Amino acid sequence: MSNQTEKTIAVVKGLIMDGVAKANSGHPGGAMSSADYATILYSEFLNFNPDDSKWFNRDRFILSAGHESMLLYSLLHLNGFISIEDIQNFRQLGSLTPGHPEVHLTPGVEATTGPLGQGFSMSVGFAAAEAYLREKLGSDVVDHYTYVLSSDGDLQEPIALGAASLAGLWGLGKIIAYYDSNKIQLAGPTCNSDCTDHKKVFEGMCWHVIEVDGHNHDEIRAAIKAGQQETSKPTLIIGHTTMAKGCATMEGSHKTHGEPLKADEIAATKKKLGLPADDFHVPADVLESYRARFDSMRKKAADWQTVVDAKLSEADFAEMWGHVTKPRPELEIAWPEFTPGETMATRQAWGKCLDAVMDSLPTLVGGSADLDPSNQTLNFRTTYGDFAVDGYASRNLAFGVREFPMAAIMNGMQLHGGLLPFGATFLTFSDYCRNAIRMSSLQELPVLYVFTHDSFWVGEDGPTHQPIEHVSSLRLIPDLIDLRPADAQETAVCLDIALKQEKHPSVIFLTRQGLPVMDPAEYPAVIDGPRKGGYILKDCEGTPELILIASGSEVSLALETAKLFKRKVRVVSMPSAKLFDDQPDSYKNAVLPPEVTSRAAAEAGRTDYWYKYVGLGGVVLGVDHFGASAPGKILSDKYGFTPENFASMIRQKY
């Protein structure tokens, strides 16, 4: 063992203790038990550019155990990415060192972590993106590892095992995961809640598994090298460690998981580790030895850039590199045309859109959670094959019945960069995805969620498959763009909106049942109106006496209902409440004039959301109860989704 390595690890542990103590909040124990592995990884193995934390071909390190954030921040300080003042402001308002790492905030943080299991699962997305781009661009341009540090809590979350199963199937040999098995979690010993033999489990999912003493530096180095040499399987290094390793009296205590160490414990621990009593002590020799590789890594990054510049003279490479690096708002997408008057489900329109653009967007990758025919991704799968199973240039991700891992893997792919990921399932199963969707928004990731079978119109499958509250519920997630198109024309516009986003994820809600395709000659606003979220689809002369608002499949219902009135009626299509709410007041007031208080809304879901547009006394046709198993048309009659009933509700009120 190197004395300098031991000294560096001691300094990292000192920063962990001091940062948590100064904040009087945080998790020192796990960070200290993982410190040996993480410090050796960063100082001896991790390949990055010290001058550019976003260098494209860097190794990615994901701290899935996000509560160990002070460990990561300490290493990022040694990298030169954040200052000692940032360390001192741990968990303070406006600092670069929040309680859990945030990717859009702190240089060197690759993923926002905290909800356990998701960092591990995102790492599978990182590695999948690396494998695809390596195949398309060449290993001289894309060839890096994805390292992930996980805890007992990560592997107790089933999402991690779902993602791990896919990583094993896909043979993602560039993943090296470290499991810090300190056998302690917040509530006490892990044996109180878990008896899993992770070596057997992961070997059963086609992983290469190595067990080491997580405090033996030679074993750690040998395990990382062995993981790098295993190219056909992902590697799990199980590090058997002691919680709060190095503490004077509290080694192994579950109290160190989520509580700062007391001043006397910190003082005694620093003495035991050979550190001075000073707070936030980082000596010059530690920085010098830690950064000894920096010049060689700078040269490696410069040589890489030379390779890229030379390959740009190759037409195929230049074209693909252009797709990988093009800002999303600059995408040029030729969407298909649809025949007015035809009846087409919006899920079918999505399928036609996907078929029309998939050749021209080689970075568009994704798939379905085992619902390819229903989600209209079957042709995409047939055309491009299943990723890894049919080769790493294949673009369909066969996620299986794993909605939550699917969503987190998409986040990882988007975080990696260079791809346009999408994932599809039934809307009712969006609940399985929800926390990862929330993490899409929090991380400012413009991934596309395709949710079909969006209402009780699913019919015979019954209430387990009929979404009621799901659209309204997803609209509550900040910065998530909701898109519920009224027909095939709006579907194409909504997809264009989604794929050209820079920071916001999108959820598109699509019907199983057929809807009439609108004629742009009769409804010219359908071409661009959806970009503002809500727009006047059909208007009257002068100021309207009644405004009907609808989304998705209920827009055609609103148009038919309007014909039953002799007064002046305006019909507003609102495919996206989020985009409409983001418009200036002048626009919103032009669409929904405040003086026009006679308003009604229709959507085949919860009614609550719509009162913000129609007023508390307005009329809302919706569904506030679970559905039933019956043909969709019978249910629409039973629930009153007919022009006659909608008109009757309005007449009773106004």
Side-chain angles (χ1 to χ4, degrees):
M1 287 189 234
S2 163
N3 289 334
Q4 195 62 41
T5 299
E6 291 178 352
K7 184 174 181 179
T8 302
I9 292 168
V11 167
V12 167
K13 290 181 178 181
L15 291 176
I16 291 167
M17 291 186 292
D18 289 340
V20 173
K22 186 171 187 294
N24 195 29
S25 174
H27 303 74
M32 294 176 73
S33 68
S34 302
D36 294 272
Y37 172 80
T39 304
I40 288 172
L41 176 68
Y42 261 78
S43 61
E44 299 179 28
F45 292 93
L46 197 72
N47 185 37
F48 59 93
N49 184 349
D51 302 322
D52 180 8
S53 66
K54 294 297 185 183
W55 177 48
F56 192 78
N57 198 37
R58 69 194 181 277
D59 289 338
R60 271 63 165 184
F61 173 80
I62 296 94
L63 182 69
S64 191
H67 53 279
E68 296 185 11
S69 56
M70 264 307 304
L71 170 61
L72 178 56
Y73 297 148
S74 299
L75 295 168
L76 293 181
H77 172 60
L78 297 183
N79 280 5
F81 291 158
I82 62 176
S83 70
I84 197 67
E85 289 76 21
D86 294 321
I87 297 288
Q88 293 166 347
N89 286 319
F90 178 53
R91 293 193 165 214
Q92 303 310 299
L93 181 64
S95 77
L96 295 182
T97 49
H100 293 81
E102 297 182 34
V103 64
H104 61 284
L105 184 66
T106 311
V109 170
E110 299 287 359
T112 299
T113 51
L116 291 171
Q118 288 201 53
F120 185 99
S121 303
M122 285 188 281
S123 74
V124 177
F126 276 95
E130 189 274 343
Y132 177 75
L133 292 173
R134 174 161 31 98
E135 192 74 14
K136 301 295 286 187
L137 296 171
S139 59
D140 51 351
V141 172
V142 180
D143 184 27
H144 63 78
Y145 291 98
T146 298
Y147 297 95
V148 57
L149 193 163
S150 56
S151 64
D152 293 288
D154 286 293
L155 300 190
Q156 286 174 19
E157 288 286 359
I159 180 179
L161 298 183
S165 179
L166 287 170
L169 172 69
W170 294 341
L172 296 176
K174 305 287 273 190
I175 290 181
I176 300 178
Y178 179 77
Y179 163 34
D180 183 59
S181 180
N182 59 41
K183 301 170 182 63
I184 293 290
Q185 53 197 94
L186 192 146
T190 56
C191 62
N192 289 347
S193 56
D194 196 8
C195 67
T196 304
D197 185 333
H198 288 97
K199 186 175 190 296
K200 288 182 179 178
V201 169
F202 275 77
E203 285 179 341
M205 294 190 294
C206 308
W207 281 61
H208 171 219
V209 182
I210 306 168
E211 293 193 84
V212 300
D213 174 348
H215 304 304
N216 185 307
H217 299 175
D218 290 336
E219 289 188 22
I220 289 170
R221 292 183 181 103
I224 295 172
K225 291 175 183 176
Q228 291 176 337
Q229 291 165 3
E230 173 53 76
T231 58
S232 63
K233 293 181 178 181
T235 293
L236 177 70
I237 301 171
I238 301 176
H240 295 286
T241 62
T242 301
M243 176 65 94
K245 178 66 173 177
C247 273
T249 68
M250 297 189 69
E251 277 193 0
S253 171
H254 73 274
K255 291 184 178 180
T256 67
H257 176 91
E259 298 177 14
L261 301 179
K262 304 300 183 185
D264 57 348
E265 180 72 16
I266 293 175
T269 300
K270 286 183 177 180
K271 184 176 181 180
K272 177 181 176 182
L273 294 174
L275 296 173
D278 306 359
D279 290 343
F280 302 101
H281 173 71
V282 183
D285 64 320
V286 164
L287 281 178
E288 183 180 354
S289 65
Y290 181 91
R291 297 176 181 180
R293 297 188 305 134
F294 279 20
D295 285 344
S296 64
M297 290 196 294
R298 289 185 177 102
K299 184 178 185 305
K300 186 177 290 188
D303 292 345
W304 175 88
Q305 188 61 56
T306 300
V307 169
V308 172
D309 292 342
K311 291 187 73 168
L312 286 172
S313 62
E314 304 170 13
D316 289 346
F317 176 85
E319 181 181 3
M320 187 65 190
W321 186 249
H323 285 289
V324 167
T325 58
K326 180 176 288 187
R328 291 176 68 130
E330 297 177 15
L331 289 175
E332 298 174 2
I333 306 174
W335 297 103
E337 295 184 358
F338 298 97
T339 304
E342 282 191 354
T343 297
M344 180 181 293
T346 52
R347 66 161 174 161
Q348 185 181 357
W350 140 253
K352 290 186 178 299
C353 286
L354 179 61
D355 292 348
V357 304
M358 59 187 182
D359 288 342
S360 61
L361 294 176
T363 55
L364 184 67
V365 297
S368 166
D370 201 48
L371 292 167
D372 301 272
S374 297
N375 291 154
Q376 299 289 300
T377 57
L378 183 58
N379 191 49
F380 181 79
R381 178 178 188 170
T382 302
T383 303
Y384 292 109
D386 285 333
F387 173 74
V389 175
D390 296 318
Y392 289 110
S394 299
R395 290 164 56 186
N396 183 78
L397 298 164
F399 291 110
V401 188
R402 300 183 182 91
E403 295 88 354
F404 195 5
M406 173 182 76
I409 287 169
M410 286 163 37
N411 285 342
M413 299 186 85
Q414 186 67 60
L415 283 164
H416 179 280
L419 298 178
L420 306 171
F422 72 88
T425 186
F426 289 172
L427 176 56
T428 193
F429 303 139
S430 65
D431 284 340
Y432 289 144
C433 307
R434 185 180 180 87
N435 199 263
I437 298 173
R438 183 177 187 272
M439 295 303 292
S440 300
S441 283
L442 184 58
Q443 297 181 91
E444 301 179 348
L445 303 178
V447 299
L448 171 60
Y449 295 90
V450 179
F451 293 138
T452 67
H453 297 59
D454 74 344
S455 71
F456 70 79
W457 284 93
V458 172
E460 291 87 344
D461 278 339
T464 61
H465 283 52
Q466 293 172 13
I468 299 299
E469 75 281 12
H470 298 72
V471 174
S472 289
S473 175
L474 287 166
R475 286 178 179 141
L476 297 178
I477 297 177
D479 299 323
L480 178 65
I481 297 177
D482 59 309
L483 299 163
R484 189 165 185 255
D487 76 332
Q489 310 282 15
E490 279 197 0
T491 300
V493 183
C494 286
L495 289 169
D496 195 72
I497 292 167
L499 289 182
K500 291 180 178 176
Q501 290 300 312
E502 289 185 283
K503 292 185 176 182
H504 298 318
S506 301
V507 288
I508 188 165
F509 309 114
L510 303 170
T511 67
R512 179 193 188 190
Q513 78 276 18
L515 300 174
V517 177
M518 290 185 280
D519 187 349
E522 182 178 0
Y523 305 109
V526 74
I527 300 300
D528 282 313
R531 298 185 189 281
K532 292 187 175 180
Y535 66 100
I536 301 170
L537 178 63
K538 179 178 176 58
D539 210 0
C540 56
E541 299 246 346
T543 303
E545 297 171 313
L546 171 66
I547 298 177
L548 304 183
I549 313 166
S551 82
S553 50
E554 286 61 66
V555 171
S556 55
L557 170 64
L559 288 171
E560 291 302 310
T561 302
K563 296 175 182 178
L564 301 180
F565 290 94
K566 294 184 179 179
R567 49 185 142 165
K568 294 188 287 186
V569 180
R570 170 179 291 178
V571 177
V572 172
S573 176
M574 194 174 291
S576 176
K578 156 71 175 168
L579 293 180
F580 182 73
D581 290 346
D582 285 348
Q583 299 305 312
D585 288 343
S586 57
Y587 176 80
K588 289 185 284 190
N589 290 337
V591 174
L592 302 175
E595 65 273 17
V596 182
T597 57
S598 296
R599 302 180 185 184
E603 183 174 64
R606 293 283 304 195
T607 58
D608 315 57
Y609 193 87
W610 289 95
Y611 288 105
K612 67 187 289 187
Y613 301 116
V614 301
L616 292 178
V619 173
V620 180
L621 172 61
V623 182
D624 290 321
H625 53 78
F626 292 119
S629 180
K633 179 63 173 67
I634 291 176
L635 293 178
S636 70
D637 292 340
K638 177 176 176 60
Y639 300 153
F641 280 76
T642 65
E644 293 75 18
N645 180 66
F646 193 24
S648 175
M649 292 173 63
I650 294 167
R651 288 192 179 102
Q652 289 177 30
K653 179 66 181 181
Y654 305 117

